[in-house]
Every structure is written in C-alpha cells, then in structure tokens.
C-alpha cells in the first residue's frame, strides 16, 4: 500500500509543491512548525534514511540545502533547522524549518491546520527565491 507521501507525490492527494525532480519532491507541511516549513521527500518509498543509498541521501541533502537557502531568503529566519524524525509517516522525509530558537523545532507546537492559501503563499515565496537562485527544478502546484 502506498504511503501518504507517495499519494501526494502521485497527486492522488493535494500537496503544495516547491520542488520536483527525478529523485525527489519538496512540499509544504500541512502541520507546519513555522511558516515555510517544507518537507523533502524521495519519490522512492524508503522508510528510514539509513536504508537509502548514499547517492540518494546526497541528492536529498543537496536539494535540502538549495531549498533551505530559499527559505532563508524568503522568510529571514536566524537559521533553517533540518530534522529527520520519520515517526509520523513511514516514508523518509527531511523537515526544513525556519527557526529563531530551538523551541521552533518542537512538534508539540505544530499547527493543527493551515489555510491552503497560506501554504500557497509560503510556497510561492520559496519558489520565487529558488528561481532567483537559478534552480530549475522548482515546481508549481
């Protein structure tokens, strides 16, 4: 059975995408810790990041770095936090979160719901920054 993220990747479920290439996608978290919280997810269903090939992990982190730079440009946080938790969905995903303090990475503070127009607005800001940096794999909805 396909994971929730595979269903989003395959567009069976809605997702607000900022990146798509042959190996991975990135889309906005529907329970963001902060505005701009983005998930980088491989297209291949892999549960645990230690089971991914070194090449795939390198690609995911390269994409995460590009998107983090865009998040930084779009929202001006002190840092962009990166976390691999993987407990909520059994499909490898990297959380990229604009942070001003370590408390911004506490999942107890995640939004319970977000207006889709707010997600699209945040995604649009990230796409603009990706495009400005010359990255062609940024995606629209």
């Amino acid at each position: 059975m396909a994971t929730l993220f595979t269903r989003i990747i395959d567009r069976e479920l809605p997702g607000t995408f900022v990146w798509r290439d042959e190996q991975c996608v990135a889309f906005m978290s529907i329970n963001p810790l902060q505005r701009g919280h983005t998930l980088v997810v491989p297209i291949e269903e892999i549960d645990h990041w230690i089971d991914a090939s070194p090449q795939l992990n390198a690609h995911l982190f390269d994409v995460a770095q590009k998107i983090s730079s865009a998040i930084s440009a779009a929202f001006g946080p002190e840092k962009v936090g990166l976390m691999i938790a993987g407990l909520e969905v059994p499909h490898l995903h990297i959380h990229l979160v604009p942070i001003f303090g370590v408390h911004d990475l506490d999942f107890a503070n995640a939004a319970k719901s977000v207006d889709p127009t707010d997600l699209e607005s945040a995604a649009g800001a990230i796409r603009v920054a990706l495009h400005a940096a010359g990255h062609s794999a940024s995606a629209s909805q």
Side-chain angles (χ1 to χ4, degrees), residues 15 33 42 67 79 104:
L33 297 174
I67 294 172
K79 302 245 179 178
D104 292 331

Side-chain angles (χ1 to χ4, degrees), residues 9-10 17-26 40-46 53 55-56 58-60 62-63 66 91 135-139:
I9 291 165
D10 292 344
F17 292 85
V18 299
W19 185 276
R20 181 178 289 269
D21 66 29
E22 65 285 344
Q23 295 181 70
C24 70
V25 298
V40 178
V41 183
I43 292 169
E44 179 182 2
E45 284 187 7
I46 299 170
S53 71
Q55 296 81 8
L56 179 58
H59 181 72
L60 295 174
D62 181 57
V63 170
K66 290 171 182 166
H91 191 143
H135 301 300
S136 61
S138 60

